[in-house]
């Protein structure tokens, strides 16, 4: 099977079928072979498994002899796709095929790991029914991210939000060479590890954290002395009072979501803030 693209090695992997068992073995490829999001060296495949080789998703399905027409249709489709990918571009105005797909087939963490290991550059555009996010990659490292309509989000927070999107489509666009204000330089592994840490820490206070659409107000009469608060708690307190709701606080806060949530809970428990439910 020939997959003509830069992320597929000349001899990438072997798929074998012996004694009713389908297996795949990576042949030391540059960018690796992934099965259901996990990088593998050799493993048995089961019906429904998704194999990622380069930017190609291969799904293992069973076709019985009664479905010979379907088999021929699949073979014809595969030949057309290979021919189309091998055909040279007819003019300079045409672009090479871009990587596209959906998050249900390749979750965003797996996709970022793939781009990180292959040192990919480009703008990963992720679209859901109501949101559009962009992750700017430079040789596999993240240097900026944004979500349209949420300009206050810092790059890491934007990525953290997008990592929670389970449905949507993605497309890898060509690199964007603009200088971004607030740009970062983080490896994909750093981003994913920090996101997992925040998710774990946020879950520990989730039960005490107010609803995202509620508003935080100063508890009156204020008995707890303000001079006992450190600079981080004071900043969150002031930001909370100036935000329309808790969701806006998470977006505007200079702290991570997990640290913001922890500090808010501490301010509520100490008698500085209380939540007002949305009317």
């Amino acid at each position: 099977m020939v997959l003509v693209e830069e992320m597929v090695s000349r001899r990438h992997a072997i798929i074998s079928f012996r004694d009713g068992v389908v297996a795949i073995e990576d042949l030391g490829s540059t960018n690796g072979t992934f099965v259901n999001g996990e990088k593998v060296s050799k493993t048995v495949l089961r019906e429904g498994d998704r194999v990622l080789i380069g930017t190609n998703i291969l799904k293992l399905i069973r076709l019985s002899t009664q479905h010979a027409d379907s088999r021929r249709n699949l073979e014809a489709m595969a030949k057309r796709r290979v021919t189309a990918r091998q055909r040279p571009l007819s003019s300079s105005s045409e672009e090479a095929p871009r990587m596209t797909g959906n998050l249900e087939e390749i979750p965003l963490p797996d996709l970022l790991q793939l781009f990180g290991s292959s040192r990919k550059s480009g703008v990963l555009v992720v679209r859901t029914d109501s949101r559009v996010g962009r992750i700017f990659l430079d040789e596999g490292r993240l240097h900026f991210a944004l979500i349209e309509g949420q300009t206050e989000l810092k790059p890491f927070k934007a990525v953290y939000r997008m990592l929670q999107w389970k449905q949507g489509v993605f497309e890898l666009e060509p690199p964007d060479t603009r200088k971004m204000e607030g740009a970062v330089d983080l490896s994909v592994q750093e981003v994913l590890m920090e996101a997992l840490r925040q998710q774990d820490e946020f879950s520990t206070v989730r039960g005490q954290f107010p609803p995202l659409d509620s508003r935080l107000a100063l508890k009156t009469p204020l008995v707890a002395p303000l001079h006992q608060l450190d600079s981080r708690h004071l900043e969150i307190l002031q930001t909370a009072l100036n935000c329309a709701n808790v969701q806006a606080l998470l977006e505007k806060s200079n702290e991570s979501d997990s640290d913001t949530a922890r500090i808010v809970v501490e301010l509520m428990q100490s008698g500085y803030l209380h939540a007002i439910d949305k009317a």
Side-chain angles (χ1 to χ4, degrees):
M1 182 185 302
V2 180
L3 305 176
V4 184
E5 60 165 283
E6 62 181 22
M7 295 179 68
V8 177
S9 298
R10 185 176 181 85
R11 296 184 73 251
H12 196 106
I14 289 178
I15 299 176
S16 60
F17 180 69
R18 296 187 183 92
D19 300 324
V21 176
V22 182
I24 188 167
E25 179 180 359
D26 186 82
L27 298 177
S29 63
T30 302
N31 296 314
T33 299
F34 297 80
V35 176
N36 299 327
E38 297 287 336
K39 190 173 184 179
V40 300
S41 56
K42 185 176 182 179
T43 190
V44 172
L45 297 177
R46 294 171 177 82
E47 187 172 3
D49 280 350
R50 298 184 303 273
V51 178
L52 181 65
I53 295 180
T55 62
N56 301 271
I57 304 167
L58 314 177
K59 185 175 182 179
L60 183 64
I61 61 174
R62 181 186 299 275
L63 288 178
S64 63
T65 54
Q66 288 88 350
H67 294 85
D69 289 342
S70 298
R71 187 187 306 274
R72 284 193 291 269
N73 290 338
L74 286 173
E75 291 173 349
M77 185 185 300
K79 289 179 180 178
R80 287 197 300 272
R81 289 185 176 180
V82 169
T83 302
R85 300 187 76 161
Q86 291 177 329
R87 186 182 300 123
L89 299 178
S90 59
S91 68
S92 58
S93 61
E94 293 184 81
E95 294 183 358
R98 297 179 182 178
M99 179 179 184
T100 60
N102 66 73
L103 298 181
E104 291 178 320
E105 288 290 348
I106 313 179
L108 188 54
D110 298 342
L111 197 59
L112 289 176
Q113 283 186 325
L114 172 66
F115 290 156
S117 63
S118 60
R119 300 174 63 85
K120 197 71 174 174
S121 296
V123 181
L124 181 61
V125 183
V126 185
R127 292 183 173 87
T128 70
D129 290 339
S130 58
R131 296 164 294 186
V132 178
R134 287 178 165 80
I135 300 175
F136 297 74
L137 298 167
D138 183 13
E139 294 189 354
R141 296 181 67 84
L142 185 145
H143 74 91
F144 199 72
L146 60 87
I147 297 176
E148 291 183 3
Q150 296 179 263
T151 56
E152 292 182 330
L153 282 181
K154 294 186 175 181
F156 182 81
K157 282 193 177 183
V159 176
Y160 181 73
R161 298 284 192 280
M162 283 184 269
L163 286 171
Q164 300 174 56
W165 298 354
K166 305 304 180 186
Q167 294 182 324
V169 297
F170 63 82
E171 179 179 8
L172 185 66
E173 295 184 345
D176 189 327
T177 57
R178 290 178 297 168
K179 297 295 183 182
M180 303 292 186
E181 183 178 351
V184 297
D185 181 28
L186 298 171
S187 70
V188 167
Q189 198 62 29
E190 287 177 294
V191 172
L192 295 178
M193 291 296 291
E194 176 62 17
L196 285 173
R197 184 192 70 80
Q198 286 200 32
Q199 186 177 17
D200 289 342
E201 292 189 0
F202 196 90
S203 64
T204 63
V205 297
R206 186 181 298 275
Q208 302 164 290
F209 195 62
L212 296 180
D213 60 354
S214 63
R215 181 171 63 87
L216 294 172
L218 199 64
K219 197 168 185 179
T220 55
L222 185 61
V223 178
L226 291 174
H227 67 81
Q228 290 186 356
L229 297 177
D230 59 27
S231 58
R232 296 175 70 197
H233 284 68
L234 278 172
E235 183 178 356
I236 294 296
L237 176 65
Q238 182 176 359
T239 305
L241 297 177
N242 291 328
C243 288
N245 51 41
V246 174
Q247 179 66 59
L249 168 62
L250 290 174
E251 294 177 5
K252 195 170 183 179
S253 171
N254 291 322
E255 303 284 346
S256 66
D257 284 355
S258 59
D259 287 342
T260 300
R262 176 181 54 79
I263 292 174
V264 165
V265 170
E266 290 173 356
L267 289 170
M268 294 177 68
Q269 291 176 340
S270 301
Y272 293 98
L273 290 174
H274 70 112
I276 302 175
D277 292 336
K278 183 179 180 181

